[in-house]
């Protein structure tokens, strides 16, 4: 009897063991799964993409080149990024319920990153890669222009460089527009709008407004997206403020108090310049469009300098020493000031300046007679004003 009882107990234990061994082990679908080539035991970090990014978590890439990020790490929809190394990161728009598969090669992250199942992210990365190539090509044009600064003017060479720049802008703008045409995602449209902050020449004010207003109702209709697009709505209002400011500092208005300083950090006033007419140029020595105007500025001074024209160049750059060295290298012996807040300077926003370079013709009393005009109109205005001063 005891033997049979032992046999029964043994049968129960074996049966339970067999059933347990045959149970299917289930794992939760991750938020993000990645396959990495040339990973070399790297650690990938996930950050939220805010003004001051905060680390959410770090992940070790496995021997087979894979890594996973479990759900629950993010609580809210929004923009995030994966930090691959100090020079490479991958921007993401994630929702808590997402499942995103992606793969990339660490030797060229921007070029190789692709998603197996997310058209949204492929569009975002295509726009970013397009922007990266645009910046590289514009840099080449800028360097070519730098090489001709200070040499004997050759209009045909300068025209060729100008045409090359226009061609680069046209090519990359059309690529971004093509991505937008093939996209149904509001996030993609929003991402393209943000691109303009880095490459002002890709978009105009009218393009920004049109793209926003065409999608405004749809952009704010999704509850969890509303905070992002509300912010852009404020940006649009700021653009209107810039437009109004620009009108406020048009011909006939008084040029505002100068906030920039000399190399020695001394304040400066228009009255410190002894001239009949002052050509104020707001510029950025790293900007190809600014460099392209140097020869015209020189020509004006060679032609009208002895008649009383003076030139004041105000740079918006954060590195004072680099700016000073570049001024010497470019051989532009005029009045020079720098605002080390760079292009984020309140002075630019208050004056309605949305892109550099921008110029103002100002009388010795500080009254603006011409704003943001170059070429023939600028030359004629200078000539006519100085001729009147002689009479």
């Amino acid at each position: 009897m005891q033997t049979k009882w032992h046999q029964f107990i043994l049968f129960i234990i074996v049966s339970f063991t067999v059933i347990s061994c045959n149970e299917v082990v289930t794992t939760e679908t991750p938020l993000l799964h990645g396959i990495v080539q040339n990973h070399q035991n790297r650690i990938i970090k996930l950050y939220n993409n805010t003004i001051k990014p905060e680390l959410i978590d770090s992940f070790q890439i496995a021997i087979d080149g894979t890594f996973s990020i479990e759900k629950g790490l993010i609580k809210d929809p929004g923009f995030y990024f994966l930090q691959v190394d100090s020079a490479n990161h991958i921007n993401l728009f994630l929702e808590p319920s997402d499942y995103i598969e992606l793969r990339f090669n660490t030797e060229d992250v921007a070029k190789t990153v692709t998603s197996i199942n997310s058209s949204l992210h492929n569009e975002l990365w295509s726009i970013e890669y397009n922007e990266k190539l645009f910046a590289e090509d514009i840099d080449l044009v800028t360097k070519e222009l730098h090489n001709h600064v200070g040499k004997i003017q050759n209009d045909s060479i300068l025209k060729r460089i100008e045409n090359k720049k226009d061609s680069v802008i046209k090519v990359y703008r059309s690529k971004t527009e093509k991505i937008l045409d093939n996209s149904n995602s509001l996030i993609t449209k929003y991402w393209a709008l943000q691109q303009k902050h880095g490459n002002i020449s890709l978009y105009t004010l009218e393009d920004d407004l049109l793209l926003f207003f065409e999608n405004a109702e749809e952009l704010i209709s999704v509850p969890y997206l509303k905070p992002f697009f509300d912010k852009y709505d404020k940006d649009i209002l700021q653009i209107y403020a810039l437009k109004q400011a620009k009108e406020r500092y048009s011909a006939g208005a008084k040029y505002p108090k100068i906030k920039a300083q000399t190399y020695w950090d001394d304040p400066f006033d228009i009255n410190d310049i002894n001239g009949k007419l002052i050509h104020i140029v707001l510029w950025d020595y790293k900007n190809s469009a600014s460099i392209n105007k140097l020869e015209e500025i020189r020509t004006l001074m060679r032609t009208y300098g002895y008649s009383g024209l003076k030139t004041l160049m105000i740079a918006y750059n954060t590195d004072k020493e680099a700016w000073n060295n570049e001024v010497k290298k470019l051989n532009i012996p005029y009045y020079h000031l720098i605002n080390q807040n760079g292009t984020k300077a309140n002075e630019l926003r208050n004056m309605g300046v949305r892109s550099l370079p921008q110029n103002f013709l100002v009388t010795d009393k500080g009254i603006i007679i011409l704003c943001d005009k170059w070429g023939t109109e600028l030359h004629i205005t200078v000539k006519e004003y100085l001729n009147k001063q002689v009479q």
Side-chain angles (χ1 to χ4, degrees):
M1 182 68 179
Q2 190 175 14
T3 302
K4 289 184 178 180
W5 175 250
H6 286 163
Q7 289 176 344
F8 177 75
I9 294 294
L10 182 61
F11 173 79
I12 295 296
I13 293 173
V14 171
S15 298
F16 180 79
T17 303
V18 171
I19 291 171
S20 298
C21 291
N22 284 298
E23 282 183 350
V24 177
V25 178
T26 59
T27 57
E28 186 180 5
T29 303
L31 173 72
L32 190 148
H33 177 71
I35 302 174
V36 187
Q37 292 179 294
N38 297 309
H39 57 89
Q40 299 170 341
N41 298 319
R42 292 175 186 263
I43 293 177
I44 287 184
K45 298 178 180 180
L46 177 66
Y47 289 84
N48 60 356
N49 200 347
T50 56
I51 296 176
K52 292 183 178 180
E54 296 178 354
L55 176 65
I56 297 174
D57 208 343
S58 300
F59 311 91
Q60 177 73 51
I61 300 177
I63 296 175
D64 62 356
T66 62
F67 70 95
S68 290
I69 299 176
E70 69 271 15
K71 291 187 188 299
L73 271 181
I74 67 168
K75 305 300 182 184
D76 301 304
F79 291 99
Y80 300 83
F81 67 87
L82 292 175
Q83 186 76 50
V84 181
D85 53 45
S86 59
N88 289 288
H89 70 270
I90 299 172
N91 282 311
L92 302 162
F93 183 85
L94 298 175
E95 302 179 42
S97 60
D98 270 342
Y99 169 57
I100 307 297
E101 289 190 57
L102 61 84
R103 58 182 60 187
F104 61 90
N105 190 320
T106 59
E107 291 185 353
D108 195 341
V109 175
K111 183 177 181 180
T112 60
V113 63
T114 182
S115 175
I116 302 169
N117 65 338
S118 174
S119 58
L120 164 63
H121 285 93
N122 286 329
E123 291 165 3
L124 295 186
W125 298 330
S126 293
I127 290 174
E128 285 191 315
Y129 188 59
N130 183 46
E131 183 179 1
K132 177 178 180 288
L133 296 180
F134 169 80
E136 290 173 355
D137 281 0
I138 282 293
D139 281 346
L140 291 176
V141 176
T142 303
K143 288 177 182 176
E144 186 175 357
L145 193 60
H146 268 287
N147 291 336
H148 289 279
V149 172
K151 298 180 180 178
I152 298 175
Q153 183 176 355
N154 187 318
D155 290 339
S156 63
I157 292 178
L158 293 177
K159 184 65 176 176
R160 177 179 59 78
I161 296 175
E162 182 72 21
N163 289 339
K164 185 183 292 187
K165 183 199 74 173
D166 291 341
S167 177
V168 168
I169 291 172
K170 183 177 180 180
V171 166
Y172 288 105
R173 181 163 47 205
S174 66
K175 287 182 179 179
T176 293
E177 289 171 349
K178 186 176 181 180
I179 295 170
L180 291 176
D181 289 341
N182 295 327
S183 172
N184 295 316
S185 170
L186 301 176
I187 302 298
T188 303
K189 294 174 182 177
Y190 177 78
W191 198 261
L193 283 170
Q194 302 312 298
Q195 187 184 36
K196 75 180 190 304
H197 295 306
N199 295 306
I200 201 73
S201 52
L202 282 180
Y203 291 92
T204 65
L205 173 61
E206 291 75 19
D207 290 336
D208 293 339
L209 291 174
L210 183 61
L211 184 55
F212 179 77
F213 287 133
E214 282 181 346
N215 300 285
E217 186 175 351
E218 192 178 5
L219 290 173
I220 61 175
S221 64
V222 184
Y224 65 75
L225 297 182
K226 192 174 185 298
F228 297 110
F229 301 124
D230 277 348
K231 180 182 181 302
Y232 193 73
D233 192 16
K234 293 177 182 177
D235 291 343
I236 290 293
L237 293 176
Q238 187 180 56
I239 291 172
Y240 272 128
L242 290 175
K243 187 176 181 181
Q244 292 172 345
K246 191 168 185 176
E247 292 170 353
R248 186 163 64 247
Y249 290 106
S250 56
K254 187 173 179 62
Y255 193 86
K257 183 179 179 180
I258 294 175
K259 301 293 180 64
Q261 298 176 319
T262 67
Y263 174 78
W264 299 274
D265 298 327
D266 295 325
F268 194 89
D269 190 86
I270 287 180
N271 294 327
D272 294 334
I273 301 176
N274 183 22
K276 297 178 181 178
L277 186 62
I278 306 164
H279 186 206
I280 301 177
V281 181
L282 314 182
W283 72 305
D284 174 0
Y285 73 84
K286 295 180 179 179
N287 181 303
S288 63
S290 293
I291 299 300
N292 201 22
K293 296 298 183 184
L294 290 181
E295 194 54 45
E296 182 172 354
I297 294 168
R298 288 192 181 96
T299 300
L300 275 173
M301 286 301 295
R302 284 195 297 264
T303 308
Y304 304 108
Y306 291 108
S307 300
L309 177 68
K310 303 293 182 181
T311 295
L312 168 63
M313 300 187 70
I314 304 177
Y316 290 85
N317 296 100
T318 56
D319 190 332
K320 183 170 69 172
E321 294 302 327
W323 158 75
N324 188 48
N325 291 334
E326 195 66 18
V327 168
K328 294 176 181 177
K329 177 181 174 183
L330 293 172
N331 189 26
I332 37 181
Y334 312 125
Y335 291 91
H336 287 278
L337 303 175
I338 183 170
N339 188 317
Q340 294 185 72
N341 290 317
T343 53
K344 294 181 180 180
N346 290 332
E347 180 181 342
L348 293 177
R349 185 174 68 252
N350 294 339
M351 294 178 64
V353 176
R354 192 160 180 260
S355 62
L356 299 174
Q358 182 160 320
N359 64 344
F360 295 84
L361 269 184
V362 179
T363 69
D364 56 348
K365 305 297 183 183
I367 303 301
I368 301 170
I369 62 174
L370 195 68
C371 173
D372 204 18
K373 298 294 182 183
W374 300 88
T376 303
E377 185 173 356
L378 173 61
H379 285 253
I380 290 175
T381 304
V382 171
K383 181 179 180 179
E384 290 180 347
Y385 183 86
L386 291 176
N387 284 343
K388 288 179 182 178
Q389 301 304 302
V390 176
Q391 296 173 359

